[in-house]
Amino acid sequence: MPLAGDNLRLSVNAFFITDGTRSLLIDTGASNVWHDPTMGLIYDALDEAGIDPAHVTDVAITHKHEDHVSGLIAPDGSEAFIKLERVWIGAGDTSVFTGRLEPIRDRVIPVSEQVAINDWTTAIPTPGHTPGHTVYDVRSGTGHLLVWGDTVHVPTLQFDQPNVSWELDGNQSQACAARAALLEQLTQPHHFVAGAHLDSPGIARVTPSGDGYALEYLAPPIG
């Protein structure tokens, strides 16, 4: 597994998806609430991609952990997305919208069952990592992109051995079952995965391999 010093090295990815008219940001990084500032660089990444944060009206959160939801508030305490209208998050995770995130609470839409959040994205509850962990199925003429949050944390291990759990999975057996079902779904033609902790840029194909699965990145990993 890749190490940085004595620490496990993990990418922390967010995904901006647009059809040219409407757009959706999935996850937001950690802003300045994490001990590692490299987890709060989404604002620089949006700028590098030529994306104006003022154009973000919808944010979908895969789950409540700080490295996914905290970027809704900028380091200076202001709202990061001034025209934000809706924040989608699993119903089991809405308790995170207190304290620093309280100003966003009135725009939160809890996801308690599979639901279309626009014409091309469906929210699918996948509890286990957290009670409200949610996967977003983005459809286009190319196929399906499953943005699966923290379904896998350590790609060098958990594709080959998908039964291996992460200590931060709140319900390890439930998380393992969700991972198994999603991996099997991703082996279908025209299915792709976008993972928060897959090596950046975090988008890949999944194929069966022995007793597990193999991961083929669609672009060379960064870093």
Side-chain angles (χ1 to χ4, degrees):
M1 293 180 283
L3 298 177
D6 293 328
N7 297 313
L8 180 66
R9 177 187 176 276
L10 292 177
S11 292
V12 179
N13 304 314
F15 301 92
F16 181 83
I17 302 165
T18 181
D19 64 3
T21 302
R22 297 154 302 170
S23 61
L24 179 68
L25 178 64
I26 303 181
D27 285 342
T28 64
S31 189
N32 62 333
V33 305
W34 204 272
H35 62 87
D36 185 344
T38 66
M39 291 183 176
L41 299 180
I42 190 169
Y43 318 112
D44 295 331
L46 289 169
D47 182 63
E48 183 179 348
I51 299 164
D52 185 348
H55 293 162
V56 176
T57 59
D58 283 78
V59 172
I61 300 295
T62 59
H63 65 288
K64 65 182 180 179
H65 288 162
E66 289 179 331
D67 53 328
H68 297 261
V69 69
S70 297
L72 288 164
I73 301 296
D76 66 3
S78 65
E79 291 191 23
F81 308 106
I82 59 174
K83 295 188 177 179
L84 183 67
E85 297 175 3
R86 291 168 292 269
V87 178
W88 306 82
I89 190 170
D93 284 358
T94 57
S95 61
V96 74
F97 288 95
T98 59
R100 183 176 177 275
L101 294 174
E102 178 69 32
I104 309 294
R105 191 174 185 86
D106 62 340
R107 282 156 284 176
V108 171
I109 300 178
V111 175
S112 57
E113 60 185 0
Q114 185 168 315
V115 61
I117 65 175
N118 58 36
D119 292 344
W120 35 267
T121 303
T122 299
I124 304 171
T126 54
H129 180 58
T130 64
H133 192 273
T134 302
V135 168
Y136 297 92
D137 180 6
V138 183
R139 302 173 305 281
S140 74
T142 303
H144 294 258
L145 179 69
L146 298 184
V147 187
W148 73 356
D150 280 15
T151 299
V152 161
H153 289 86
V154 187
T156 53
L157 175 65
Q158 288 180 291
F159 283 92
D160 184 52
Q161 301 179 58
N163 289 329
V164 173
S165 291
W166 179 254
E167 66 177 349
L168 294 179
D169 286 336
N171 184 319
Q172 293 190 359
S173 61
Q174 203 174 31
C176 190
R179 181 165 54 251
L182 287 165
L183 284 167
E184 189 60 30
Q185 181 179 354
L186 282 161
T187 63
Q188 299 177 34
H190 312 298
H191 280 65
F192 307 87
V193 63
H197 301 303
L198 302 186
D199 292 339
S200 181
I203 300 176
R205 293 185 180 92
V206 175
T207 56
S209 178
D211 293 331
Y213 299 85
L215 191 65
E216 177 191 353
Y217 286 101
L218 299 192
I222 299 171

